[in-house]
């Protein structure tokens, strides 16, 4: 009996060694360990053997069974590895590969870099200021009265619970004009005996307002210019506007300013750009030949005072426009729904 078991084991192991695929291995397993397999049959004879010898043979039979099972598993693993190796050997590394898709900058990012480089050429410096800001910078120091509608919950996003003794509640910047206050306050901090260095700031940032419809998204971008110096005038402002309009929209386009009202500029203007489709003649896009770009004006003396600048010594101008709006006016892009810009739809974005 002992010899029989050892022979069975050797027999099985040599078959396993020779096996060429998984199917053959399964058959070998069945042949020895199946219901009527050779080992199973040998084990059935055990009860007839006397008790002393039976124990010993039982242990041996078990060992044989385990060895066969382990060898089958090991051989299976080897076979799998072999298949993989032969597949790898078949790969032709000289075949042309699959090109990964290459993306590009988002159209708003493209517009921001173009706008930045236009203003940099005439000495404006791009700055970054907080987009989560105190009321002081976004409203109070900009001369907004306490009951101004923009300070309402329904216009601006306020941060729950955050409030500063001097600077008031915290909010998401509804415009980039908060950057004016930051910039002027910084200039005062680094001034020497009341003499600030002239400012030429370009603040481009995200703005947030409670609005969402075909022409508004709750998050959008503005670019804000601020120039502070001695004896600046509306002529300087108009010169910068014309320079930008021609550089960004094209040589044929011109700007015009219309009287308007902002709390933080006096006088204040709305800036229009001549329509690129009809060249200012009037068409279905613009109606009267002009497209509205955004606000501008001469910095209000109260704003200068609030940041510690002497309005008798310094003055300046500011302007603030929407990046998305400028972008759409430039290319005559007629996007039915502005929200599409931020929808992350590749079919849309790939066009730019
Ligand atoms: N902050 C104003 C707005 O969001 C625009 C503006 C900026 C107007 C600078 C005048 C000067 O509408």
């Amino acid at each position: 009996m002992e010899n029989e078991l050892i022979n069975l084991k050797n027999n099985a192991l040599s078959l396993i060694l020779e096996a060429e695929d998984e199917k053959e291995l399964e058959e070998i397993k069945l042949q020895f360990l199946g219901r009527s397999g050779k080992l199973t049959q040998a084990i059935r004879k055990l009860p007839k053997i006397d008790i002393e010898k039976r124990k010993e043979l039982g242990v041996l039979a078990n060992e044989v069974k385990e060895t066969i099972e382990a060898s089958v598993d090991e051989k299976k693993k080897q076979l799998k590895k072999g298949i993989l190796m032969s597949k790898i050997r078949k790969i032709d590394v000289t075949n042309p590969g699959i090109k990964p898709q290459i993306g590009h900058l988002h159209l708003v990012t493209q517009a921001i870099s173009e706008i930045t480089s236009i203003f940099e050429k005439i000495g404006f410096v791009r700055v970054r200021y907080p987009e989560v800001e105190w009321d002081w910078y976004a409203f109070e120091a900009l001369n907004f009265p306490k009951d101004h509608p923009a300070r309402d919950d329904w216009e601006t996003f306020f941060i729950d619970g955050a409030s500063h003794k001097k600077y008031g509640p915290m909010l998401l910047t509804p415009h980039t004009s908060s950057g004016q206050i930051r910039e002027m306050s910084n200039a005062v901090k680094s001034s020497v005996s009341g003499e600030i260095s002239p400012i030429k700031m370009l603040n481009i940032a995200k703005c947030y307002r409670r609005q969402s419809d075909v022409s508004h998204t709750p998050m959008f971008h503005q670019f804000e210019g601020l120039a502070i110096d001695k004896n600046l005038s509306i002529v300087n402002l108009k010169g910068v506007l014309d320079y930008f309009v021609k550089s960004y929209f094209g040589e044929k386009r011109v700007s015009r300013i219309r009287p308007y009202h902002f709390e933080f500029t006096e006088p204040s203007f709305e800036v229009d750009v001549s329509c690129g489709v009809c060249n200012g003649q009037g068409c279905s896009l613009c109606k009267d030949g002009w497209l509205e770009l955004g606000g501008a004006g001469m910095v209000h003396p109260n704003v200068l005072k609030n940041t510690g600048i002497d309005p008798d010594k310094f003055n300046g101008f500011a302007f603030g426009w929407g990046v998305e709006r400028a972008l759409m006016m430039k290319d005559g892009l007629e996007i039915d729904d502005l929200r599409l810009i931020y929808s992350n739809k590749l079919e849309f974005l790939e066009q730019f």
Side-chain angles (χ1 to χ4, degrees), residues 22-40:
E22 214 166 300
K23 199 174 148 230
E24 211 176 307
L25 281 170
E26 285 304 321
E27 275 162 15
I28 296 167
K29 212 170 158 184
L30 211 66
Q31 193 185 330
F32 289 87
L33 310 180
R35 265 163 165 258
S36 47
K38 289 178 185 164
L39 184 67
T40 321

Side-chain angles (χ1 to χ4, degrees), residues 69 94 169:
E69 275 172 346
T94 61

Side-chain angles (χ1 to χ4, degrees), residues 212-232:
S212 180
D213 56 42
V214 290
S215 53
H216 295 94
T217 48
M219 186 283 297
F220 59 103
H221 295 79
Q222 280 190 345
F223 57 112
E224 179 110 4
L226 172 72
I228 301 286
D229 208 332
K230 288 173 178 162
N231 304 317
L232 288 175

Side-chain angles (χ1 to χ4, degrees), residues 252-253 273-291 329 332:
K252 282 197 192 136
R253 313 283 286 271
V273 180
S274 59
C275 175
V277 174
C278 63
N279 248 327
Q281 298 307 301
C283 68
S284 62
L285 177 71
C286 64
K287 305 209 166 53
D288 64 348
W290 296 93
L291 296 165
M329 282 165 57

Side-chain angles (χ1 to χ4, degrees), residues 16-17 19-20 25 71-85:
I16 292 169
L17 205 68
E20 280 178 0
L25 281 170
S71 311
V72 167
D73 287 348
E74 182 54 30
K75 181 75 185 188
K76 273 189 191 166
K77 271 190 215 152
Q78 283 176 7
L79 285 175
K80 268 196 192 137
K81 222 173 167 185
I83 293 170
L84 189 71
M85 287 314 286

Side-chain angles (χ1 to χ4, degrees), residues 45-77:
K45 286 191 253 166
L46 278 177
K48 287 180 203 144
I49 291 164
D50 69 62
I51 189 88
E52 278 307 299
K53 197 80 185 139
R54 199 195 302 166
K55 260 194 190 168
E56 231 177 81
L57 288 173
V59 174
L60 182 62
N62 222 12
E63 268 174 28
V64 172
K65 186 178 168 228
E66 278 168 11
T67 312
I68 295 177
E69 275 172 346
S71 311
V72 167
D73 287 348
E74 182 54 30
K75 181 75 185 188
K76 273 189 191 166
K77 271 190 215 152

Side-chain angles (χ1 to χ4, degrees), residues 175 177 180 209 222 224 262 264-265 295-297 318-320:
H175 55 181
S177 301
Q180 290 189 33
R209 291 185 196 175
Q222 280 190 345
E224 179 110 4
F262 292 106
F264 40 95
T265 44
F319 51 87

Side-chain angles (χ1 to χ4, degrees), residues 150-314:
R151 284 174 130 167
D152 196 279
D153 264 355
W154 287 105
E155 289 273 341
T156 297
F157 294 104
F158 287 88
I159 309 290
D160 275 352
S163 189
H164 187 284
K165 255 190 274 157
K166 184 172 166 211
Y167 298 136
M170 192 172 245
L171 41 79
L172 302 185
T173 47
H175 55 181
T176 41
S177 301
S178 49
Q180 290 189 33
I181 304 300
R182 289 264 174 198
E183 182 75 14
M184 289 189 270
S185 306
N186 284 348
V188 169
K189 261 184 231 152
S190 50
S191 64
V192 182
S193 55
E195 275 298 308
I196 58 156
S197 314
I199 293 172
K200 266 181 163 180
M201 168 203 90
L202 181 70
N203 179 32
I204 309 184
K206 293 187 179 70
C207 300
Y208 304 86
R209 291 185 196 175
R210 279 189 186 260
Q211 52 183 21
S212 180
D213 56 42
V214 290
S215 53
H216 295 94
T217 48
M219 186 283 297
F220 59 103
H221 295 79
Q222 280 190 345
F223 57 112
E224 179 110 4
L226 172 72
I228 301 286
D229 208 332
K230 288 173 178 162
N231 304 317
L232 288 175
S233 75
I234 298 174
V235 176
N236 300 111
L237 168 63
K238 187 69 168 66
V240 171
L241 298 183
D242 272 335
Y243 162 76
F244 173 73
V245 164
K246 291 197 184 305
S247 312
Y248 188 69
F249 296 103
E251 272 305 315
K252 282 197 192 136
R253 313 283 286 271
V254 290
S255 74
R256 84 170 175 188
I257 51 177
R258 272 183 294 116
Y260 200 71
H261 173 77
F262 292 106
E263 307 294 341
F264 40 95
T265 44
E266 184 58 37
S268 301
F269 311 102
E270 280 264 273
V271 182
D272 296 334
V273 180
S274 59
C275 175
V277 174
C278 63
N279 248 327
Q281 298 307 301
C283 68
S284 62
L285 177 71
C286 64
K287 305 209 166 53
D288 64 348
W290 296 93
L291 296 165
E292 196 184 300
L293 185 58
M298 301 305 290
V299 178
H300 197 294
N302 285 353
V303 174
L304 294 169
K305 268 190 241 160
N306 286 340
T307 60
I309 295 177
D310 181 354
D312 292 329
K313 271 195 185 161
F314 292 93

